Amino acid sequence: MALRKLGKAPESPEGKSPTVYLDDEKDTYLVQGWKVADEDRRSQLDLPGHEDVVEIPRRMVQFFLEVNSGGDADA
């Protein structure tokens, strides 16, 4: 598996940041974020049992765009 870190949120405390990765082999993104435990919010999602959801700040979307522009953001 060839994971490439696209970006990490520098504002997060203790370095435990939301992080966006690209898996070059599978051509998929992996997103490390905050676990969504609020049942009211989860109930509004159509989540099958084999899937889950994490939350990231809006500012992290820029790292998805880095792939298209050819940039390498390892912030």
Side-chain angles (χ1 to χ4, degrees):
M1 184 179 311
L3 292 183
R4 182 167 61 130
K5 182 167 54 174
L6 301 178
K8 189 173 185 177
E11 297 88 1
S12 293
E14 301 174 20
K16 297 179 180 169
S17 307
T19 307
V20 176
Y21 298 89
L22 173 67
D23 184 327
D24 287 325
E25 290 180 12
K26 295 180 88 175
D27 199 28
T28 59
Y29 292 104
L30 286 79
V31 179
Q32 174 186 336
W34 303 299
K35 185 176 182 177
V36 178
D38 179 349
E39 287 303 320
D40 183 49
R41 293 172 72 203
R42 290 181 66 87
S43 70
Q44 298 176 53
L45 303 169
D46 185 18
L47 282 176
H50 66 280
E51 293 182 1
D52 210 336
V53 63
V54 296
E55 186 170 12
I56 62 171
R58 184 179 222 164
R59 67 183 175 273
M60 297 295 292
V61 174
Q62 68 178 318
F63 298 117
F64 290 112
L65 302 175
E66 285 294 325
V67 175
N68 290 332
S69 69
D72 191 9
D74 197 294

